[in-house]
Amino acid sequence: MNLLEIDNCTMRFGGLTCVDKLNAQIGKDELIGMIGPNGAGKTTVFNIVTGVYNPTEGDVRFLGQSVVPFKPYQVAELGISRTFQNIRLFSSLSVRDNIRVSFVKNLKAGFFQSVFQIKSFLDEEKGFEDRTDELLEIFGLYDAGNEAAKSLPYGEQRKVEIVRALATSPQLLLLDEPAAGMNPTEKVDLMNLIKMVKDKFKISIFLIEHDMKVVMGVCERIFVLDYGKKIAEGKPEEIKNNPKVIEAYLGETAH
């Protein structure tokens, strides 16, 4: 069974078709890329998968279950998490608290337990603290845990956003242009980070990215959108030499 199946999805806004009869599948432990020109419909696909939009036609299934009727928080509860093209951290909160907010969906203690600080609540809080510390250690952020998120360098803020998404324990992580705004050194670090996340957390990653070196360097399979239609799909070597892709997007063979 595929982890994610996008089945003949179309998304229209009035007379504009942003996604046109898209079919795509992501298996377990895969790292898949999606590329295309600006306005090709890439982020719209992410919004369909995560419940921001309901497709005009078609279906999206996660582990065989349709997620089309679900709200974004319900999709997250199923095991799909995402980052955004524009960083959406709580900039005034600490790095640690930005990560801790992701545990809300796992919170079992109610109002009474939290107000009176009973043992079940305190045990749960301790578990969240321990998991936060573990994630901060894994990603080299422990020393910055109490700093305001906005005080970190741009590349580190991107890292915090990825860690926050991972704190929800997803089976599928969607990354929307994670290299946007990064310098070349940060992009190399990002590529290593993405590979580490996939291998260490045993999850699938679905990546939108404009930087061809990042896409070609980390993705096992890539599909290409142009005006909402999938025009190509294959391994990086196949994609960078595909005449349709070169004409529609790359302009020249990617290296």
Side-chain angles (χ1 to χ4, degrees), residues 42-76:
K42 303 183 298 298
T43 297
T44 301
V45 173
F46 270 24
N47 285 337
I48 292 171
V49 171
T50 56
V52 177
Y53 300 146
N54 288 330
T56 310
E57 298 171 10
D59 195 13
V60 177
R61 293 182 294 275
F62 183 67
L63 291 173
Q65 179 179 3
S66 177
V67 299
V68 168
F70 289 8
K71 302 295 183 185
Y73 74 90
Q74 295 172 311
V75 174

Side-chain angles (χ1 to χ4, degrees), residues 127-175:
F128 294 158
E129 283 290 347
D130 290 346
R131 180 58 176 158
T132 299
D133 285 344
E134 180 184 3
L135 288 169
L136 289 171
E137 286 278 10
I138 290 170
F139 288 91
L141 291 167
Y142 188 84
D143 290 341
N146 293 322
E147 294 182 24
K150 64 183 177 183
S151 71
L152 269 59
Y154 189 84
E156 293 293 281
Q157 290 186 41
R158 282 283 185 195
K159 187 187 293 186
V160 173
E161 191 175 40
I162 292 172
V163 176
R164 184 176 64 182
L166 287 170
T168 67
S169 301
Q171 295 182 64
L172 174 63
L173 175 63
L174 278 57
L175 302 176

Side-chain angles (χ1 to χ4, degrees), residues 26-39:
I26 297 177
K28 292 186 177 181
D29 299 322
E30 278 199 297
L31 207 171
I32 307 301
M34 177 167 56
I35 65 173
N38 286 328

Side-chain angles (χ1 to χ4, degrees), residues 139 159 162 189-198:
F139 288 91
K159 187 187 293 186
I162 292 172
D189 291 342
L190 174 70
M191 291 167 66
N192 292 330
L193 177 70
I194 291 171
K195 292 175 183 176
M196 183 274 284
V197 166
K198 176 183 176 292

Side-chain angles (χ1 to χ4, degrees), residues 6-17:
I6 301 172
D7 185 9
N8 208 34
C9 268
T10 295
M11 188 74 222
R12 299 189 187 94
F13 298 97
L16 177 65
T17 300

Side-chain angles (χ1 to χ4, degrees), residues 56-239:
T56 310
E57 298 171 10
D59 195 13
V60 177
R61 293 182 294 275
F62 183 67
L63 291 173
Q65 179 179 3
S66 177
V67 299
V68 168
F70 289 8
K71 302 295 183 185
Y73 74 90
Q74 295 172 311
V75 174
E77 287 173 350
L78 283 178
I80 301 176
S81 190
R82 73 176 291 182
T83 65
F84 296 86
Q85 182 176 346
N86 299 314
I87 293 175
R88 296 189 183 181
L89 295 175
F90 299 104
S91 59
S92 61
L93 294 182
S94 69
V95 170
R96 178 180 298 277
D97 286 342
N98 265 279
I99 295 170
R100 279 174 53 85
V101 298
S102 294
F103 296 118
V104 170
K105 79 178 186 71
N106 301 322
L107 190 64
K108 294 182 175 62
F111 176 77
F112 176 85
Q113 290 93 334
S114 60
V115 167
F116 291 97
Q117 302 280 292
I118 66 172
K119 187 176 184 301
S120 61
F121 170 77
L122 296 174
D123 289 346
E124 198 169 38
E125 283 287 295
K126 179 66 165 55
F128 294 158
E129 283 290 347
D130 290 346
R131 180 58 176 158
T132 299
D133 285 344
E134 180 184 3
L135 288 169
L136 289 171
E137 286 278 10
I138 290 170
F139 288 91
L141 291 167
Y142 188 84
D143 290 341
N146 293 322
E147 294 182 24
K150 64 183 177 183
S151 71
L152 269 59
Y154 189 84
E156 293 293 281
Q157 290 186 41
R158 282 283 185 195
K159 187 187 293 186
V160 173
E161 191 175 40
I162 292 172
V163 176
R164 184 176 64 182
L166 287 170
T168 67
S169 301
Q171 295 182 64
L172 174 63
L173 175 63
L174 278 57
L175 302 176
D176 192 348
E177 296 196 33
M182 288 188 173
N183 62 43
T185 300
E186 288 172 332
K187 288 177 182 178
V188 172
D189 291 342
L190 174 70
M191 291 167 66
N192 292 330
L193 177 70
I194 291 171
K195 292 175 183 176
M196 183 274 284
V197 166
K198 176 183 176 292
D199 294 340
K200 185 171 184 64
F201 291 86
K202 307 299 181 187
I203 63 174
S204 295
I205 297 176
F206 189 15
L207 168 74
I208 292 174
E209 187 50 67
H210 279 297
D211 189 295
M212 289 299 101
K213 286 187 178 180
V214 173
V215 173
M216 300 296 173
V218 301
C219 293
E220 301 158 355
R221 182 162 53 90
I222 300 166
F223 67 88
V224 187
L225 291 187
D226 190 30
Y227 295 105
K229 288 182 176 289
K230 185 170 72 173
I231 61 169
E233 181 176 358
K235 295 180 179 179
E237 192 69 23
E238 297 168 338
I239 292 299

